[in-house]
Structures are given as C-alpha cells and as structure tokens.
Amino acid sequence: MPELPEVETVARGLQASVAGRRILSVALGKTDFIDDPVAIERELPGRAITRIERFGKFMLLKLAKSAAPAEFGSPADENAPVELSEALLVHLGMTGHLAPHFPEQPLTKHTHVTFRLDDGRELRYTDARRFGRMAYLSGAALTAELERFGADPLHVSPQEFTQRIRASRSRIKALLLDQTVLRGVGNIYADEALWKAKIHPAAPGNRLSARHVEKLRQALKQILLRAIELRGSSISDFVDSNGDSGEYQQHHRVYGREGKNCYRCGALIRRVIVAGRSSHFCARCQRAPRGSRRGPRRPQKKTKPDRARATSKR
DNA sequence: CTCGATCCCTGGACGC
DNA sequence: TGCGTCCAGGGATCGA
C-alpha cells in the first residue's frame, strides 16, 4: 500500500543514502514487472544516480552518464548537454521495497533486482507480489510517460483541482484513485480525506459543490503532509529505506475501522465497495448523495465457476 | 464516458 | 499441524 506519503518517505531516504552513487552492474531475478529488462541491463551499468524524486506513486531515479570521458573533438557536446532526461521509474505496487544493503547481508526472498553500487553497497528491489513496476526511460518516452499522470495533490491549485473533479460524473472515490486525475492518492488517503471533508465516496464529482471540492483539496493536502511527517502508514509491511515503520496508521480515522465508532460523531464506520475498492466512511458524517440510490444492490454473491486459466497476456 | 468484472500475485487471516 | 479458501489492492484491459 505504498501511496504518496510512503513513496515520498522512501524517496527521501534514498536521496539521502544513494544519490550520487554510480551503478556498476545489474542482476535480475524475475522480470515480469519490468517494462524492458534488457534495456535495464544494457543502460544502467555505468550510470550515476543523480537524484531520487517522487512522482505520484513512482520513484524517479534520475540518471546520468557518468563522465564518460568525451572523445577528442566531439563538437556536438556543447549543444547537447548530455541526455537531458533519463530515469529509472520504480513503482512499489503493494509490497515493493527498494533499499541499499551491504553485500554480506543475505538476500531476502523475492529480491528481483540488485544494483551494485560504486561504494560497495547494493541497491535491492524486492517485491513479493510483483504488483510493482520498473522501467528505464529516456527522452521523449520518459516525457510521454510522465505526462500520462494528473496533478500532484500537494501542489495542485484550487482552480485546477476543482476543474478536474467537477469535470467528471465519476464517483469521487474513483476520481481520487484515478492517477490520470491526481497522481499519488491511494485507497487509504482517499478514504481519510473524504472523511475529513465529509463527502460520501460515491458522490459524483460533478455534483459536489465548489465549497466541498475545496474542502476536499485542503483535507487531502493536510492529511498527506501530516502522513509524510510521520513517515507514512505501516499497515502490512511497509518500511522505509532504512527499514523503519511509519506512524500514520495510528491516525487513521476511517480506514480499517469498519464497525468502530466515528471519531467525530460516534456513528458506526461502514465499509462498502466503491470503484472496486473497499471504502470506509461514516454514514452520518458523510451523507450519501441524493440521486445515488441505484436501487437495491444485488449482492451477486461469489461467482467462482472455477479458476479460469485463460491468460491473454500482452 | 463510465462501470463492473477479471486478471495479475503472494502472504496472512481464518475455518475446519 | 496443515490444508483450503478468501481477501487485500494498483493498474491494465475488456465488454457492457
């Protein structure tokens, strides 16, 4: 469940611990979560990690060709100050970890990528479920990839936020989770922000008042900033690049509190599926939108004819 | 345009 | 103790 605060925490840790290091070699394990494994093996060795930043739920390890001694008389250099942008994108998915280790530390299970660094350490990526993603991108491909994503909830202007939310009839919970609308928000912080702003997760974006939308923007930003201060939420196995847990899970108001009392009004916290995700909310504080009745929802209990093995792939 | 369903994957929780 | 089953969840994809 690494979302924006958790990824920010990890990125800051890596910025402090491995920025400036050069990658000497790459070792890959399972690669089905890597866009182009061959490109990783080919391009990364020799590159320096100049900086680590968060982009939505991604970490961007910015790379540079480390002082490949220019050949004599390579005139193009002046106008082409190195590849303007090349980076390794790392998405932690649900269970991804990226952290430096000393070579003598035993490899933990599910370690799929190891970058040997020029200071003797290894930057290791582990991911049990492999819901994460890794990709080496440069130039136009990098730009195009990043442009797919929406606004950063920490920096989006009130105007843009309002425009993005009210432009859609989708339910607000779906909009918050949609990375092309906002980048970085996941299930936990979406629920927390909606609770704080007193908005029902199933409310259509275009039916929210301007006032509610602005309240939501502020709630989201406050919650994310506070969560970053507390180094994220550790609910399953999240730890930062130092192996430390976050603390924000102790401040959750609705997430994971189904059946407990609302901290604001005392009513029971409920959990329903919205946009295919568990959504926790207070039925009293967060009123259901008027027209959202949809009629009695047929539970449509378990539909497991059998484990269909029809993989399509690609 | 929007939605639900399905799949990917594994570990942990739970029932027997 | 151990096995089976369900669930979690970000994101891609497909059909409705």
Side-chain angles (χ1 to χ4, degrees):
Chain A
M1 54 42 253
E3 302 180 29
L4 189 154
E6 291 76 32
V7 179
E8 178 72 29
T9 298
V10 174
R12 288 183 182 181
L14 292 175
Q15 171 64 24
S17 63
V18 306
R21 296 275 60 85
R22 194 159 54 92
I23 295 170
L24 299 183
S25 62
V26 178
L28 302 180
K30 291 189 178 177
T31 60
D32 56 357
F33 62 97
I34 301 177
D35 282 24
D36 184 351
V38 175
I40 301 267
E41 293 179 306
R42 183 184 61 230
E43 303 293 342
L44 276 296
R47 291 292 201 288
I49 302 170
T50 58
R51 178 170 181 76
I52 295 96
E53 297 177 359
R54 176 191 60 78
F55 185 87
K57 293 177 192 172
F58 282 91
M59 280 187 289
L60 238 51
L61 279 67
K62 297 192 169 180
L63 305 170
K65 290 175 181 162
S66 56
E71 305 204 15
F72 280 118
S74 41
D77 290 4
E78 290 187 28
N79 296 323
V82 198
E83 188 85 340
L84 178 60
S85 58
E86 56 178 331
L88 181 71
L89 272 64
V90 178
H91 193 299
L92 300 175
M94 292 295 298
T95 52
H97 296 277
L98 184 65
H101 296 270
F102 291 106
E104 58 269 26
Q105 293 178 277
L107 281 185
T108 56
K109 205 178 174 185
H110 306 302
T111 297
H112 302 303
V113 182
T114 299
F115 298 111
R116 198 160 58 85
L117 303 178
D118 63 356
D119 62 359
R121 291 179 301 165
E122 295 177 347
L123 183 58
R124 298 176 184 171
Y125 179 78
T126 66
D127 187 354
R129 296 182 200 176
R130 305 203 300 287
F131 272 22
R133 179 186 165 201
M134 188 175 288
Y136 166 80
L137 293 171
S138 65
L142 175 59
T143 304
E145 177 63 25
L146 299 185
E147 283 178 347
R148 294 173 46 214
F149 297 94
D152 188 304
L154 294 181
H155 303 295
V156 64
S157 69
Q159 294 73 26
E160 184 182 359
F161 185 81
T162 298
Q163 178 265 313
R164 284 175 176 275
I165 296 302
R166 299 182 81 188
S168 171
R169 301 194 306 239
S170 290
R171 294 181 253 167
I172 186 61
K173 177 66 181 282
L175 292 174
L176 291 175
L177 294 180
D178 186 338
Q179 301 299 296
T180 69
V181 174
L182 288 176
R183 65 175 117 108
V185 181
N187 209 35
I188 295 175
Y189 297 102
D191 281 4
E192 294 296 316
L194 289 172
W195 178 84
K196 185 162 189 177
K198 300 184 182 179
I199 297 171
H200 191 284
N206 66 349
R207 302 191 42 170
L208 294 177
S209 68
R211 187 165 154 51
H212 268 94
V213 174
E214 174 56 11
K215 187 165 186 178
L216 176 60
R217 186 190 65 82
Q218 293 177 14
L220 184 58
K221 182 174 179 178
Q222 287 171 18
I223 286 169
L224 293 173
L225 288 175
R226 181 62 178 147
I228 290 171
E229 287 178 358
L230 295 180
R231 310 176 66 74
S233 301
S234 293
I235 58 172
S236 61
D237 65 346
F238 171 74
V239 290
D240 64 21
S241 61
N242 283 317
D244 298 324
S245 299
E247 300 291 333
Y248 195 73
Q249 68 279 6
Q250 296 170 28
H251 297 258
H252 290 173
R253 289 300 181 239
V254 285
Y255 186 84
R257 298 196 65 246
E258 179 184 14
K260 299 207 166 95
N261 298 102
C262 173
Y263 283 120
R264 197 161 41 206
C265 78
L268 289 186
I269 298 301
R270 301 215 301 148
R271 182 174 73 91
V272 299
I273 302 299
V274 177
R277 297 284 173 245
S278 278
S279 300
H280 310 72
F281 68 103
C282 170
R284 189 186 294 169
C285 291
Q286 297 165 267
R287 293 298 180 72
R290 282 197 200 199
S292 77
R293 289 254 162 66
R294 277 239 164 284
R297 216 172 248 277
R298 265 275 143 10
Q300 173 74 36
K301 264 308 181 185
K302 47 202 69 174
T303 316
K304 48 154 196 159
D306 78 292
R307 285 288 180 185
R309 260 292 163 213
T311 7
S312 51
K313 261 309 155 84
R314 265 279 64 180

